[in-house]
């Protein structure tokens, strides 16, 4: 956001705070019928508390916007900050109005709050989980994430009760925050947008390891989608009877290109191996009938060769 927009967001809160400070500071100079009205004086003080909370919440929201230019903070975090500040202002006003009776009033409402909390426990669980996600920030708006057993997509909005994701198929998913908080979260956009992926390929023992590496890396040098810096590399994964298994590691520039990058890697390696006259091994099982055979006891059997 531009500095002018930030200033516009502060005009009304600062004006309200200035007016409240002026009323409280000059209350001794007000007419007698106003200064004798305790409710009116209390109203001036309450206005001061709430306008101060308004200004503080706007200033902190602007600070979060500036700090999150590349990876924006969730709107929930700003709402949480504002809610806490206004709650402080409300508590201060209530204590000022009721004096010592404020504590008794809060204690007396404890049972009602407990019953209400039990009735809306799922909503409370989602809300508290949303607050935890906002504070810990395992992901932010625009991050591509994988929520184990639930979904995979880009975070569009993190609300009080739900988080909204856009999948690779451009579908919209709305997940309760309490479910997300219980799952393992993989963030593919942090700390950087690029990440390393890998795939496994098994080749015949006839092709030496170093030669296999050379063929596959030469093929990947023509890649257009995967990153060449850092360059892809190949490691031997296993050496078994069925062939030598290799792990091809490469860097994906953005998560949304992961599928295209994997397709490119497979295609280039397949083309390079075929041009070199080597393909991945496969097992072939043939059943060949040898015709009926009569045994010494007179029984007839059919021989099969594999």
């Amino acid at each position: 956001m531009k500095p002018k927009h930030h200033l516009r967001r502060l005009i009304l809160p600062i004006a309200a705070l200035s007016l409240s400070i002026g009323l409280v500071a000059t209350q001794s100079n007000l007419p007698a019928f106003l200064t004798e009205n305790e409710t009116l004086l209390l109203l001036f003080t309450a206005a001061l508390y709430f306008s101060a909370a308004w200004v503080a919440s706007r200033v902190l929201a602007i600070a979060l916007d500036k700090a999150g230019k590349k990876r924006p903070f969730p709107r929930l975090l700003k709402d949480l900050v504002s809610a806490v500040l206004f709650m402080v202002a409300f508590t201060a006003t209530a204590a000022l109005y009721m004096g010592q009776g404020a504590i008794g009033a809060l204690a007396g409402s404890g049972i009602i709050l407990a019953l209400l909390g039990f009735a809306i426990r799922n909503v409370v669980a989602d809300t508290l989980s949303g607050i935890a996600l906002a504070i810990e920030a395992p992901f932010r708006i625009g991050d591509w994430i994988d929520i184990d057993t639930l979904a995979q997509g880009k975070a569009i909005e993190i609300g009080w009760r739900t988080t909204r994701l856009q999948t690779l198929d451009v579908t919209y998913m709305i997940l309760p925050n309490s479910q997300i908080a219980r799952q393992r979260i993989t963030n593919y956009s942090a700390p950087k947008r690029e990440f390393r992926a890998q795939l496994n390929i098994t080749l015949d023992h006839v092709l030496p390891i170093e030669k296999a590496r050379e063929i596959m890396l030469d093929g990947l040098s023509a890649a257009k989608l995967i990153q060449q810096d850092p360059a892809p590399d190949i490691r031997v994964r296993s050496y078994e009877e069925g062939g030598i298994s290799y792990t091809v590691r490469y860097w994906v520039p953005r998560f949304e290109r992961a599928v295209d990058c994997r397709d490119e890697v497979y295609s280039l390696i397949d083309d390079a191996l075929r041009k070199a006259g080597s393909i991945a091994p496969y097992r072939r099982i043939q059943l060949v009938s040898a015709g009926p055979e009569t045994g010494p006891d007179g029984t007839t059997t059919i021989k099969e060769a594999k």
Side-chain angles (χ1 to χ4, degrees):
M1 295 183 181
K2 298 180 180 179
K4 291 184 178 179
H5 180 73
H6 292 320
L7 292 176
R8 286 197 296 268
R9 293 172 63 187
L10 290 173
I11 290 176
L12 287 178
I14 291 177
L17 179 61
S18 301
L19 180 60
S20 301
I21 293 175
L23 291 173
V24 173
T26 60
Q27 62 181 357
S28 59
N29 299 325
L30 294 175
F33 73 92
L34 292 179
T35 56
E36 293 176 356
N37 190 336
E38 295 182 359
T39 303
L40 188 60
L41 297 179
L42 176 63
L43 182 62
F44 292 161
T45 306
L48 175 61
Y49 291 159
F50 281 97
S51 58
W54 192 9
V55 171
S57 64
R58 285 293 175 87
V59 170
L60 290 175
I62 292 173
L64 290 175
D65 287 339
K66 289 185 177 181
K69 286 184 178 179
K70 294 184 178 180
R71 296 180 62 220
F73 289 95
R75 190 187 66 184
L76 175 59
L77 182 59
K78 302 174 188 176
D79 294 342
L80 179 61
V81 170
S82 298
V84 170
L85 290 172
F86 279 102
M87 183 62 68
V88 171
F90 176 79
T91 303
T93 302
L96 182 66
Y97 179 74
M98 293 187 291
Q100 297 298 326
I103 299 177
L106 292 176
S109 61
I111 297 177
I112 298 176
L113 291 176
L115 294 175
L116 180 62
F118 180 79
I120 59 173
R121 59 188 182 278
N122 292 332
V123 176
V124 172
D126 291 337
T127 303
L128 293 178
S129 298
I131 293 173
L133 290 174
I135 294 175
E136 295 181 3
F139 56 88
R140 297 184 183 177
I141 303 301
D143 287 355
W144 284 92
I145 59 175
D146 183 2
I147 304 173
D148 196 24
T149 73
L150 286 181
Q152 187 181 77
K154 181 169 66 173
I156 301 298
E157 183 179 347
I158 305 173
W160 286 96
R161 292 190 58 247
T162 60
T163 294
R164 292 166 172 79
L165 301 180
Q166 178 181 305
T167 67
L168 288 171
D169 297 327
V170 198
T171 56
Y172 204 48
M173 297 192 67
I174 302 175
L175 301 174
N177 288 330
S178 59
Q179 293 186 18
I180 297 175
R182 291 194 296 265
Q183 302 297 329
R184 181 179 61 185
I185 300 173
T186 302
N187 193 333
Y188 289 98
S189 300
K192 295 181 179 181
R193 294 288 178 183
E194 61 271 13
F195 66 94
R196 188 168 66 182
Q198 63 183 35
L199 51 85
N200 298 322
I201 291 180
T202 302
L203 301 179
D204 197 279
H205 288 282
V206 176
L207 187 63
I209 292 177
E210 290 304 319
K211 184 64 176 179
R213 279 201 182 105
E214 180 182 349
I215 293 173
M216 288 188 283
L217 289 176
D218 285 346
L220 292 178
S221 63
K224 302 297 183 182
L225 299 179
I226 67 173
Q227 293 187 185
Q228 297 294 341
D229 185 19
D233 59 35
I234 298 174
R235 297 288 185 269
V236 176
R237 181 170 177 265
S238 64
Y239 197 96
E240 300 174 349
E241 180 182 358
I244 305 174
S245 182
Y246 299 87
T247 297
V248 182
R249 305 189 302 180
Y250 57 95
W251 287 85
V252 179
R254 299 189 309 276
F255 178 79
E256 55 266 38
R257 303 301 302 274
V259 175
D260 295 331
C261 289
R262 183 173 66 245
D263 177 77
E264 180 184 50
V265 170
Y266 272 127
S267 299
L268 291 174
I269 290 179
D270 178 77
D271 184 63
L273 290 173
R274 291 181 184 278
K275 287 181 179 179
S278 176
I279 59 174
Y282 60 92
R283 296 181 180 181
R284 181 188 307 169
I285 299 179
Q286 293 180 334
L287 297 179
V288 181
S289 176
E293 180 178 321
T294 303
D297 57 354
T299 59
T300 302
T301 60
I302 297 177
K303 293 180 60 180
E304 292 184 350
K306 295 185 179 180

